[in-house]
Amino acid sequence: MPQSRVYLWFIGPALLLMCVILLIPILIAGGLSLTDYSLGNTGASFVGLENYERIFTRSTYEKMFGATFRYVFVVVPLTVGLGLGAALLIDSLGRFGDLYKTIYFLPVMAALIAMAIVWEFAFHPTIGIVNATLERGCGTVLERWDWYAQGCERTFPLWLNDRDYAIWTVSFIGVWQGFGFNMVLYLAGLTSIPPSLYDAAEMDGAKSGWDRFRLVTWPLLGPTTVFVVTISFIRSFQVFDMVEAFYPQGGGPSKSVYVMMFAIYEKGIQQNLMGIGAAITVVFLAFVMILTLIQRWLVERRTHYV
Amino acid sequence: MSQISLRTITKSFGETPVLNNVSLDIEEGEFVTLVGPSGCGKSTFLRILAGLEAADAGQVEIQGRDVTAIRPADRNLAMVFQSYALYPHLSVAQNIMTPLRMRDLNRLGRLPVIGPLLSRAAHRKMRDQVGEVAETLQITPLLDRKPGQLSGGQRQRVALGRAMVRQPVAFLMDEPLSNLDAALRVHMRAELSELHRRLQATFVYVTHDQAEALTMSDRMAVMMHGDILQVGPPNDIYRNPASLDVARFIGSPRINTLPGEVNGTGGLELLGVTTETRVRGLRQAVTMGVRPEHLHMRVTGRFSGTVRHRENLGSDIFVHLEVAGAPAKVVLRLAPAEAVELGLGTRVAFDFNPTDILLFDATGARLAFTHPAREVA
Ligand SMILES: Nc1ncnc2c1ncn2[C@@H]1O[C@H](COP(=O)(O)OP(=O)(O)OP(=O)(O)O)[C@@H](O)[C@H]1O
Ligand SMILES: [Mg+2]
């Protein structure tokens, strides 16, 4: 008796779509990363792992990794921490919670390009509100602080255009923009904690807020935290539009803000070096893949309570 | 002096009054059950006793100390929640140990890895206590599991263990058996009574199931619409309910009620029959209550009805009769042998002993009555 082929109709469409829009492009990128292909050329020659070798030896790419990891390791802990803190504070509020929720979530919804322009003004070395405010503080006790005194004597930092400050300034804006998103995820996580657990904790003698947090809130937010951390990592690795808006050419002062996504764009699109662009993309995918695997492992191991 | 006393507790949620001036005294070592229909305020009352909810007015005293303004953690009570409220991320052993960790260890001793090293003796003692409790409740093989991997009955025992591991002034339980299946519920009823005998501790138990209240408690308090209507030993309440509401709520199947009238000479008239029962007082409409086990099939019975439904419970058979003039079906409890011949539609004559009835006036309060032979109620 012939086996029914109906199942093909059930899985077929999804499988086909996944191949066409996900797997095949990845394979093509993987293939291109082994060549020196440029868009418009009729042919390309196979160069082996030369593109990858460049990524891991040239100083430009060293800067790329440096900028990316600085950004990621500032933005992820801060957005997660601030997101959790804001969620806990808002959750403890009765009446104005919704108002704060909206305020903190606004940057997430705003168009980042527009926000970038505003921040560019704010951080402008001479007419920007940041340095203008800092100058107000000159002559007060704040001058005891060496960094401040130096700023008063000469000038305050150029922020976005100083290679020592640029990546941190961009990270700051990234935090400002991103923590509202994590806050909303944490708020959802908080509402799913059964109130009776807090009653039980109180009966068991957990008297301080910290005790309750350690005994109930933090462990029960475990699954949320794994998700929030993973998504924050991926979002931070993907940072692009802000860098493109601030530094359309070259990735910031001395390439100090030359993050991966921008590098892919610059090499692959601006300079039409498809091979190297594809190679960076593959490395990027590898990072995201590793993060996802870690997340799956954590979810299955520790935070799955039933 | 009683060990726990609640005085004139009043509570409302917004506009909704939930408790109106409720008072209750609980003696040491007693098993007191609060029973009442769903939504009557039992949980709220228990939570006020625990301190998890603040009363609008009234006092709570525990061992002679006014604890109205004292937080739950400092009242030295233990509670078993309806949903058990076990910490899902902790193993059974850790769940049971939590009250000890929170109360007997300082911050340092509670730290994950260093804690057990710093206060080794304290940790060993706590582990021993947990082991003992687990032994008592027969959950030793489950100690390393997470609550998610337990059955309902096992979770219930863990929740009990978490309450038992300390020596609290009283155990508060909010419908701890309501999530279990019928057979397990009956089994746990016996186990809880046994546990109460062994621990000699005070139990305050909330339930909407009158069977639980009747079987387990030393005293029960019947609550309805935010008032405690009657407090007393289960048997007293069953035999001698103070009002129609209590009589209707306690007992299954429900007490039969028949409309009646007291005539000008104080005689009770029921469904057109004048009985020998005498009521002192005026001409008035009354309700007579009689429990199914007090109705007897008798050829000479003064009342009669048609069989409309039979419920066979094996040991007993409940026969539902349609009686002319009675608003609801009248239920008789019969032995299986008696009921063999009673098919649907059979006409049955029945009667009762005049001393077995209860009389209520129009407001539902008990009415005293006399019987020519002897005085009752
Ligand atoms: N937090 C609350 N806010 C508003 N109303 C409440 C709240 N908690 C309870 N109520 C109301 O108070 C009344 C009594 O509630 P309670 O939980 O004490 O009932 P219960 O007797 O325990 O019922 P059940 O047997 O169903 O558990 C109910 O009418 C309920 O709707
Ligand atoms: Mg309740």
Side-chain angles (χ1 to χ4, degrees):
Chain A
M1 202 172 95
Q3 227 187 342
S4 162
R5 295 287 162 94
V6 168
Y7 65 91
L8 282 179
W9 288 101
F10 288 105
I11 59 168
L15 207 64
L16 189 75
L17 275 178
M18 200 166 98
C19 285
V20 171
I21 64 179
L22 279 174
L23 296 180
I24 293 177
I26 290 176
L27 288 180
I28 292 177
L32 283 178
S33 71
L34 304 174
T35 68
D36 62 358
Y37 177 73
S38 300
L39 214 58
N41 287 8
T42 43
S45 45
F46 182 77
V47 295
L49 293 176
E50 199 179 292
N51 286 328
Y52 290 99
E53 192 192 321
R54 261 192 238 162
I55 292 177
F56 289 107
T57 52
R58 296 269 175 96
S59 74
T60 316
Y61 299 109
E62 197 185 312
K63 282 185 176 162
M64 173 184 82
F65 286 124
T68 307
F69 283 117
R70 275 189 197 112
Y71 182 84
V72 167
F73 284 104
V74 168
V75 171
V76 172
L78 285 181
T79 47
V80 174
L82 286 174
L84 175 61
L88 288 174
L89 288 176
I90 288 176
D91 197 55
S92 70
L93 280 181
R95 289 171 61 193
F96 297 105
D98 285 332
L99 182 69
Y100 282 103
K101 228 185 280 182
T102 314
I103 292 175
Y104 290 140
F105 198 66
L106 272 178
V108 183
M109 298 189 293
L112 199 59
I113 301 289
M115 290 299 109
I117 294 170
V118 175
W119 280 110
E120 204 161 12
F121 276 121
F123 280 120
H124 192 279
T126 50
I127 59 168
I129 186 170
V130 175
N131 279 358
T133 311
L134 285 172
E135 270 159 30
R136 291 263 177 87
C138 285
T140 65
V141 280
L142 283 171
E143 286 222 41
R144 295 256 186 89
W145 182 13
D146 280 346
W147 179 87
Y148 211 97
Q150 269 176 20
C152 289
E153 229 168 81
R154 284 174 252 150
T155 60
F156 282 104
L158 306 177
W159 300 119
L160 284 170
N161 295 314
D162 184 323
R163 71 169 172 198
D164 290 334
Y165 287 94
I167 185 68
W168 309 121
T169 311
V170 170
S171 302
F172 168 80
I173 300 171
V175 171
W176 169 84
Q177 198 263 333
F179 85 94
F181 186 70
N182 292 348
M183 176 199 73
V184 169
L185 293 176
Y186 269 123
L187 277 172
L190 282 173
T191 54
S192 70
I193 299 180
S196 65
L197 282 184
Y198 289 104
D199 291 343
E202 175 72 35
M203 295 305 289
D204 286 346
K207 291 195 210 171
S208 65
W210 173 248
D211 286 341
R212 277 195 298 278
F213 181 75
R214 284 289 298 129
L215 184 62
V216 178
T217 315
W218 179 244
L220 274 107
L221 284 177
T224 312
T225 302
V226 171
F227 179 70
V228 165
V229 168
T230 316
I231 207 112
S232 301
F233 262 111
I234 292 175
R235 279 164 56 99
S236 311
F237 268 118
Q238 286 175 335
V239 62
F240 168 74
D241 35 10
M242 196 162 46
V243 178
E244 155 72 7
F246 286 143
Y247 317 105
Q249 299 296 327
S254 315
K255 283 205 177 306
S256 61
V257 197
Y258 191 60
V259 294
M260 272 180 121
M261 268 293 158
F262 186 80
I264 295 172
Y265 168 74
E266 191 195 58
K267 292 295 166 196
I269 312 292
Q270 285 187 332
Q271 302 176 0
N272 197 6
L273 302 171
M274 279 300 206
I276 186 86
I280 306 174
T281 309
V282 170
V283 172
F284 172 80
L285 274 176
F287 278 130
V288 174
M289 192 71 188
I290 291 170
L291 283 171
T292 313
L293 288 178
I294 294 177
Q295 186 218 9
R296 292 244 36 97
W297 179 75
L298 277 175
V299 165
E300 267 154 34
R301 288 266 331 228
R302 282 223 28 238
T303 59
H304 192 65
Y305 301 139
V306 177
Chain B
M1 188 190 58
S2 51
Q3 195 194 21
I4 296 174
S5 65
L6 294 111
R7 298 225 181 86
T8 60
I9 302 287
T10 303
K11 173 81 183 173
S12 46
F13 288 110
E15 294 291 292
T16 329
V18 176
L19 296 172
N20 324 311
N21 260 324
V22 180
S23 300
L24 183 68
D25 287 320
I26 298 163
E27 306 297 331
E28 182 159 5
E30 238 187 340
F31 195 130
V32 171
T33 305
L34 281 168
V35 63
S38 193
C40 71
K42 308 176 298 281
S43 297
T44 310
F45 188 71
L46 196 71
R47 289 170 62 81
I48 287 173
L49 168 53
L52 295 170
E53 205 87 61
D56 297 338
Q59 281 113 44
V60 182
E61 269 182 27
I62 296 177
Q63 293 181 319
R65 190 169 61 120
D66 186 347
V67 295
T68 316
I70 288 180
R71 63 181 304 172
D74 294 328
R75 294 190 183 190
N76 196 19
L77 300 167
M79 187 150 172
V80 178
F81 294 86
Q82 182 168 359
S83 56
Y84 308 140
L86 299 174
Y87 308 112
H89 57 287
L90 298 180
S91 70
V92 168
Q94 287 167 320
N95 260 291
I96 298 179
M97 203 187 281
T98 303
L100 299 175
R101 274 165 46 84
M102 286 296 153
R103 286 169 194 271
D104 301 348
L105 293 181
N106 54 18
R107 277 268 156 77
L108 221 56
R110 289 209 290 271
L111 288 176
V113 185
I114 327 166
L117 293 177
L118 283 179
S119 43
R120 217 173 267 180
H123 271 86
R124 186 165 325 119
K125 186 159 156 264
M126 285 181 352
R127 268 198 299 278
D128 290 345
Q129 277 171 283
V130 171
E132 254 169 59
V133 168
E135 204 63 51
T136 316
L137 294 170
Q138 297 168 354
I139 49 172
T140 313
L142 310 176
L143 282 178
D144 293 324
R145 296 215 205 148
K146 297 273 170 72
Q149 302 164 317
L150 301 179
S151 73
Q154 291 168 332
R155 271 182 232 184
Q156 205 259 351
R157 268 178 240 214
V158 176
L160 268 176
R162 186 172 63 176
M164 269 168 57
V165 74
R166 292 184 306 119
Q167 266 83 48
V169 175
F171 293 95
L172 315 184
M173 306 190 187
D174 191 353
E175 310 205 12
L177 305 186
S178 61
N179 288 339
L180 307 182
D181 68 53
L184 192 54
R185 201 144 58 203
V186 173
H187 174 73
M188 287 308 295
R189 239 154 52 187
E191 274 199 13
L192 274 178
S193 297
E194 166 65 28
L195 192 69
H196 173 244
R197 272 194 293 279
R198 185 146 22 121
L199 295 178
Q200 307 264 302
T202 313
F203 279 43
V204 185
Y205 189 99
V206 161
T207 180
H208 63 260
D209 180 355
Q210 42 112 6
E212 281 174 25
L214 288 170
T215 49
M216 295 195 287
S217 39
D218 296 327
R219 279 199 308 153
M220 59 195 265
V222 183
M223 245 181 127
M224 241 169 256
H225 315 300
D227 287 307
I228 290 187
L229 299 183
Q230 192 175 358
V231 187
N235 222 6
D236 279 9
I237 292 187
Y238 185 77
R239 298 203 169 172
N240 208 0
S243 68
L244 187 56
D245 284 338
V246 176
R248 280 200 171 128
F249 186 71
I250 303 295
S252 168
R254 252 159 65 133
I255 193 168
N256 296 302
T257 52
L258 295 173
E261 204 177 328
V262 176
N263 61 22
T265 59
L268 173 67
E269 285 183 26
L270 275 176
L271 305 174
V273 179
T274 307
T275 63
E276 60 273 66
T277 305
R278 301 266 148 238
V279 180
R280 210 168 306 140
L282 305 164
R283 195 180 252 282
Q284 60 180 319
V286 296
T287 305
M288 189 219 45
V290 58
R291 297 209 180 266
E293 65 267 31
H294 292 144
L295 289 177
H296 309 289
M297 234 181 9
R298 228 177 261 161
V299 192
T300 58
R302 289 169 292 176
F303 307 93
S304 66
T306 316
V307 177
R308 289 291 176 226
H309 181 57
R310 287 164 52 108
E311 267 179 299
N312 189 348
L313 299 187
S315 58
D316 295 306
I317 292 185
F318 291 103
V319 179
H320 297 234
L321 302 182
E322 191 175 281
V323 176
K329 300 247 181 348
V330 172
V331 181
L332 269 75
R333 190 185 79 180
L334 300 176
E338 282 181 290
V340 180
E341 318 235 297
L342 297 182
L344 297 188
T346 318
R347 243 189 124 66
V348 173
F350 63 95
D351 212 329
F352 50 80
N353 226 331
T355 50
D356 285 335
I357 63 165
L358 304 166
L359 283 186
F360 304 94
D361 69 12
T363 62
R366 269 293 282 281
L367 271 183
F369 60 87
T370 55
H371 182 256
R374 64 190 167 107
E375 194 144 320
V376 204

